Amino acid sequence: MATRYILALVMALAVMMGLQMAGVFRIAGIVYREWSLKNVERGDVDALKWSREYLDSDEIQIRAAAASSIGTIGQADQATIADLINKVDQDVPQVASSAAWSLGHVELIETEGDRTAYQADVVAALVRALSHQDSEVRRYAAYALSNYGLRGIDASAAIPALVANLKDQRMGYMAARALGDMGARESAADIAALLEGAPWHFQQEAAVALSKLQPLSPEIQSQLESLMKENKEVREVVEYSLQINQHVSR
């Protein structure tokens, strides 16, 4: 009888150790895959097939890392871009925000046909993401639209949604940045409303955005100059932004 109990105890311990080891191996596998995805190189299109495959992983952090890796690579085919849009629309916030970030960075691999048609689908997806319940998804959607502006891609369809998000306490500053980078002069008055009474980082982003939307109305220009005179940090970031803009435009 005692021998039977001892054998049962040994078997139970073996099962527990086996389960623990399986858990350790599983975690190690997740960590390795996540590390590999985070260390892809720009232009490494051969890695795309793995990134796309891992978009369907059961692990949230792997799906998020896979989505981000596509943006790091910077190129994708139509099907992969469609997958990213699907992740923005339907996946959990951690994955959706990573996919939104990537959409702002990728360009189409295909060299034939209309190489810009996908951009309208991306902008539409990012506009939908601007009304997402999670603030990080909204923030990364605005960031991606900002990147579209810097790349000279037409994202004007997103202007109303970005203006509506300017008062969002969690990501309104990013909406202001996007509007400035997109050259949305019609939003200048809405952005200028952030110059007074808003948190300091909102004021900085609003001031930089307005510096990109010249010429401003006399009232807004006066408001901007007044803030720059009173706030050294705002003045410095605006001056730095102007220097960068002048360098890029040469």
Side-chain angles (χ1 to χ4, degrees):
M1 183 71 72
T3 303
R4 229 186 289 173
Y5 283 136
I6 293 172
L7 286 173
L9 179 60
V10 170
M11 290 178 64
L13 289 172
V15 169
M16 290 177 63
M17 290 180 65
L19 290 173
Q20 288 179 344
M21 289 302 296
V24 169
F25 286 131
R26 173 178 169 273
I27 293 172
I30 291 172
V31 170
Y32 174 75
R33 288 193 294 275
E34 187 175 6
W35 177 86
S36 298
L37 289 164
K38 288 182 176 180
N39 284 275
V40 298
E41 296 182 357
R42 185 160 188 83
D44 184 9
V45 294
D46 291 335
L48 273 176
K49 65 177 182 178
W50 303 112
S51 295
R52 191 179 180 196
E53 178 180 330
Y54 284 131
L55 283 175
D56 294 324
S57 170
D58 292 334
E59 304 295 337
I60 291 174
Q61 62 266 46
I62 296 299
R63 297 201 304 276
S68 295
S69 70
I70 296 169
T72 301
I73 294 168
Q75 294 177 298
D77 55 20
Q78 292 271 16
T80 303
I81 292 174
D83 286 343
L84 287 175
I85 290 175
N86 181 62
K87 291 299 175 183
V88 171
D89 285 336
Q90 299 185 18
D91 215 319
V92 297
Q94 184 179 345
V95 179
S97 58
S98 295
W101 179 86
S102 279
L103 286 173
H105 288 276
V106 294
E107 58 184 29
L108 199 61
I109 288 178
E110 285 94 343
T111 57
E112 298 180 358
D114 188 347
R115 300 190 69 251
T116 62
Y118 77 96
Q119 295 169 357
D121 294 333
V122 169
V123 171
L126 295 175
V127 168
R128 293 192 296 273
L130 286 173
S131 62
H132 198 283
Q133 63 181 5
D134 187 87
S135 62
E136 283 296 279
V137 178
R138 299 195 302 273
R139 185 169 71 90
Y140 277 108
Y143 170 85
L145 289 164
S146 169
N147 220 34
Y148 257 36
L150 292 172
R151 291 168 60 188
I153 298 173
D154 180 19
S156 56
I159 291 175
L162 287 167
V163 169
N165 276 273
L166 284 171
K167 295 182 180 179
D168 187 318
Q169 292 299 306
R170 293 184 179 274
M171 52 72 64
Y173 67 94
M174 191 62 72
R177 180 188 298 183
L179 290 165
D181 289 336
M182 290 164 54
R185 290 180 177 173
E186 63 269 42
S187 66
D190 296 292
I191 297 173
L194 300 178
L195 294 178
E196 297 181 4
W200 67 269
H201 57 297
F202 277 60
Q203 291 182 329
Q204 286 190 349
E205 291 290 355
V208 171
L210 289 172
S211 73
K212 299 177 181 180
L213 301 179
Q214 302 288 342
L216 299 169
S217 70
E219 180 182 356
I220 295 177
Q221 184 65 40
S222 175
Q223 192 177 0
L224 175 60
E225 290 175 356
S226 177
L227 178 61
M228 290 175 61
K229 184 177 180 180
E230 296 173 359
N231 191 309
K232 178 183 177 182
E233 287 77 14
V234 170
R235 182 172 67 254
E236 288 177 346
V237 295
V238 169
E239 290 174 348
Y240 178 75
S241 174
L242 291 173
Q243 290 174 4
I244 294 296
N245 290 340
Q246 290 171 359
H247 177 74
V248 171
S249 63
R250 288 176 182 173

